[in-house]
Amino acid sequence: MDKNPQSQEARNLKDAGAVLVKGDLEDVDVLKDTFKKVDGLYLVLPGVWVSSKETDEKEAELGIQTIKLAEEQGIEFVLYSSVMASDKQDRFRPKFKFTIEQYLLESKLQGAVIRPASFMENLLLPSFGLGEGKFINPLPEETAISWVTTQDIGTFARIIFQNHSDFNGKTIDFGGQLFTPRQVLELLEKKLDQPIEFVQVPLEMLYQQSEIFAKLVEMVAKEGYDPIDDKLISSWLPKLTSFEEWLDDTGIEKIRGLQSFGNL
């Protein structure tokens, strides 16, 4: 589903074999027609970069509205893409992704929840500053978190759909290697053969930008994330892409393509 099927990104998807539908999740009439024609729904809600109580509530409302419609139109299976530690975030985000998870798993639908770890591709966003030769880090330096490629998420989502009866009712934390921010920095410097300035964002500054994000960082610092069930994941997908493999395959090339790295 795409708001602009004529865009280059959409045409690339079409060339790769996708069938495009014009519309968005807020267009209920288009969704009704589309849902009558499909058996499964992979629900990924639009990203919000500066969260607030209002954006959280809007996301929860949109997710529940979409799942209700899927239920009404007889969708066979729904896979909802959430976020790691959504249940812990429920303490300070009472109406957010965990609300959607609960609604799905308590509905009459067959469904499952996947909670991906941090995307390696996020490093390409301006918020990390790699285009300016910086590594801007909001997390505690000593805290290791899991990382995963979006390609591996897509592969595992396909596996879930192909074996949906085995995953019905399950919530799966999905991620790979654990890296501290300093370890990520060292790997980037090694692969780029270039020094990168490490910029630690103070918690006070995070609170000025987004109280919700600051509370998330505090939670990660104090509690970390729950361990990932590597045995479950490897039983279906024996090998995930390592950080080094992602950098070698596509990551470094894309980072070099960022403005300040264009001459490396």
Side-chain angles (χ1 to χ4, degrees), residues 49 121-138 199 201 258-259:
W49 303 114
E121 288 81 359
N122 282 352
L123 291 172
L124 304 173
L125 297 174
S127 55
F128 273 95
L130 290 178
E132 300 173 359
K134 300 176 181 178
F135 181 72
I136 301 172
N137 175 56
V199 180
V201 183
L258 300 176
Q259 185 173 7

Side-chain angles (χ1 to χ4, degrees), residues 192-232:
L192 287 166
D193 192 24
Q194 172 84 14
I196 300 172
E197 180 185 355
F198 187 82
V199 180
Q200 180 66 48
V201 183
L203 190 60
E204 298 76 21
M205 186 177 292
L206 293 178
Y207 264 102
Q208 293 172 10
Q209 296 172 350
S210 170
E211 181 178 344
I212 286 177
F213 184 66
K215 287 182 176 180
L216 172 60
V217 170
E218 281 189 305
M219 183 204 77
V220 174
K222 293 176 181 177
E223 305 175 36
Y225 291 105
D226 291 337
I228 291 173
D229 188 346
D230 296 316
K231 186 175 180 181
L232 169 68

Side-chain angles (χ1 to χ4, degrees), residues 153-169:
I153 299 170
T155 300
F156 201 71
R158 173 178 58 79
I159 290 169
I160 291 174
F161 275 105
Q162 290 174 327
N163 303 275
H164 59 85
S165 59
D166 292 306
F167 287 94
N168 183 40

Side-chain angles (χ1 to χ4, degrees), residues 95-153:
K95 196 174 181 183
F96 186 48
K97 294 184 185 292
F98 189 58
T99 315
I100 302 171
E101 294 180 23
Q102 289 177 305
Y103 187 88
L104 171 61
L105 298 180
E106 291 170 5
S107 73
K108 296 177 182 178
L109 287 161
Q110 290 193 66
V113 175
I114 185 169
R115 295 175 176 170
S118 295
F119 304 166
M120 296 177 192
E121 288 81 359
N122 282 352
L123 291 172
L124 304 173
L125 297 174
S127 55
F128 273 95
L130 290 178
E132 300 173 359
K134 300 176 181 178
F135 181 72
I136 301 172
N137 175 56
L139 295 173
E141 280 191 59
E142 69 282 359
T143 302
I145 63 171
S146 177
W147 293 79
V148 68
T149 66
T150 53
Q151 180 171 318
D152 284 345
I153 299 170

Side-chain angles (χ1 to χ4, degrees), residues 24-77:
D24 61 59
L25 292 176
E26 296 185 58
D27 191 337
V28 174
D29 291 335
V30 171
L31 283 185
K32 279 183 180 179
D33 184 57
T34 302
F35 284 2
K36 290 175 183 176
K37 303 173 184 176
V38 298
D39 302 312
L41 170 65
Y42 183 32
L43 181 57
V44 184
L45 295 170
V48 176
W49 303 114
V50 181
S51 300
S52 66
K53 179 176 180 289
E54 290 72 26
T55 60
D56 281 1
E57 290 180 351
K58 182 177 180 181
E59 182 168 337
E61 181 181 338
L62 182 60
I64 290 171
Q65 173 183 289
T66 306
I67 293 169
K68 278 183 179 178
L69 195 60
E71 197 171 12
E72 292 169 4
Q73 299 302 318
I75 294 286
E76 186 176 343
F77 184 82

